[in-house]
Amino acid sequence: MLKHALLKATEAGAAEIKRFFNGDFKITNKEGINNPVTEADHAAEKAIFEVIRQEFPDHFILSEESGEIVMDSSYKWIIDPIDGTINFANGIPLCCVSIGIEYNGQMVMGAVYNPFLNELFFAQHGFGATLNDKIIHVSNKTEVIKSCLVTGFPYTYLDEPNGPLQVFEKLIRKGVPVRRLGSAAIDLCWVAAGRFDGFYEHKLNAWDSAAGFLIVEEAGGKVTDFKGDKYSPYQPHIIATNGKIHDELVAIVNGAEF
Ligand code: IPD
Ligand code: CA
Ligand code: CA
């Protein structure tokens, strides 16, 4: 029932993304210079809400464009109607719908769907992770120096020690390939699928990572904050890896040489 609603909501959001892609849509800007929201973000969010409200009118919702819709419920849907809005707005087909569901504060289910690659990632707590219904696993790399990583940068520059550019520079100077796809949810799912060995980012919101972090964990990976402690999507830092390079990447993100 819950899974059915989750997948239906994900598909409904994705149909709106496809409908607007490469067409005419209104763009407005949120805080920062390059933090757009498009008509498609709102339309996808509306379509997702409609499915949830049909099936579960009393569930709590946290969604990027509408904020919190507070309900007295053990269930909380955490929604990013388009993760990768800049890609979407530029006609780059690397964006997705991302929806995670918490039950009593624990992430129990997540789905991330990129309709352009037709890739649906799904995980249920304790039941593994899948890509289009096939079980997926993280990679086997054991050293950061031999890894392929991915990261993202916030819309406003973070001027702090071991900030996004410092960590990026350190890895690049050592010749480590570090990709930047522009969708944290896809970054996480691609770690889960073994395409990347690790992902780190300095400033995410709950809707960026809610589904993806569960998908990585269920694919056998490890997800923590920058201290290496248990991950919460309600704080900004994330390190998600295959588990084997985790401690090394945590140390590097905190300033260690390698
Ligand atoms: C963004 C993407 C991007 C990440 C940003 C997010 P949005 O989400 O996930 O990869 O670097 O921090 O805000 O704005 O496209 O939903
Ligand atoms: Ca996002
Ligand atoms: Ca978004």
Side-chain angles (χ1 to χ4, degrees):
M1 186 74 169
L2 195 63
K3 179 177 175 182
H4 176 78
L6 171 61
L7 297 183
K8 201 170 151 191
T10 306
E11 273 167 31
E16 291 300 287
I17 299 180
K18 277 182 98 169
R19 185 163 74 84
F20 283 97
F21 191 68
N22 272 335
D24 289 330
F25 45 79
K26 278 192 219 103
I27 307 182
T28 47
N29 208 49
K30 301 194 273 191
E31 79 281 7
I33 313 163
N34 272 309
N35 192 359
V37 59
T38 72
E39 209 180 332
D41 294 77
H42 292 296
E45 190 175 67
K46 184 164 173 275
I48 293 164
F49 284 5
E50 272 166 18
V51 174
I52 300 170
R53 283 295 169 243
Q54 265 165 22
E55 313 259 351
F56 302 110
D58 55 352
H59 282 188
F60 194 118
I61 291 175
L62 167 63
S63 187
E64 180 171 13
E65 312 309 340
S66 298
E68 285 189 335
I69 302 171
V70 178
M71 302 293 267
D72 185 15
S73 170
S74 305
Y75 288 95
K76 180 174 178 181
W77 295 63
I78 306 174
I79 301 162
D80 196 336
I82 304 182
D83 188 53
T85 291
I86 298 237
N87 285 349
F88 170 82
N90 287 283
I92 299 166
L94 272 177
C95 51
C96 61
V97 177
S98 171
I99 307 178
I101 304 175
E102 273 184 6
Y103 177 68
N104 285 337
Q106 191 189 359
M107 205 61 67
V108 290
M109 226 178 254
V112 171
Y113 182 45
N114 175 352
F116 304 107
L117 292 180
N118 191 26
E119 291 196 330
L120 171 66
F121 294 88
F122 172 81
Q124 182 171 355
H125 183 65
F127 288 86
T130 55
L131 163 54
N132 294 344
D133 290 327
K134 291 204 180 87
I135 293 280
I136 49 171
H137 295 289
V138 292
S139 71
N140 284 318
K141 295 275 177 59
T142 55
E143 292 167 81
V144 168
I145 194 76
K146 293 184 181 158
S147 292
C148 180
L149 305 179
V150 64
T151 190
F153 301 100
Y155 295 124
T156 41
Y157 179 63
L158 292 181
D159 192 7
E160 59 187 35
N162 302 312
L165 287 181
Q166 285 87 339
V167 176
F168 188 63
E169 181 178 3
K170 194 179 338 168
L171 290 161
I172 296 302
R173 280 184 184 277
K174 291 278 180 166
V176 177
V178 186
R179 302 295 185 243
R180 198 276 197 245
L181 301 186
S183 161
I186 293 177
D187 297 338
L188 284 162
C189 290
W190 287 23
V191 171
R195 295 172 184 168
F196 295 124
D197 307 300
F199 164 65
Y200 66 91
E201 190 155 346
H202 287 70
K203 196 169 177 242
L204 289 186
N205 287 297
W207 45 79
D208 301 313
S209 66
F213 99 81
L214 179 67
I215 292 167
V216 172
E217 288 185 346
E218 289 297 322
K222 186 167 178 179
V223 186
T224 67
D225 62 18
F226 280 5
K227 291 189 196 128
D229 292 338
K230 186 177 159 45
Y231 182 69
S232 160
Y234 300 102
Q235 55 78 51
H237 300 148
I238 189 165
I239 299 184
T241 71
N242 63 6
K244 298 175 185 71
I245 62 161
H246 201 88
D247 292 348
E248 194 188 0
L249 188 57
V250 168
I252 291 166
V253 167
N254 284 286
E257 293 304 328
F258 67 111

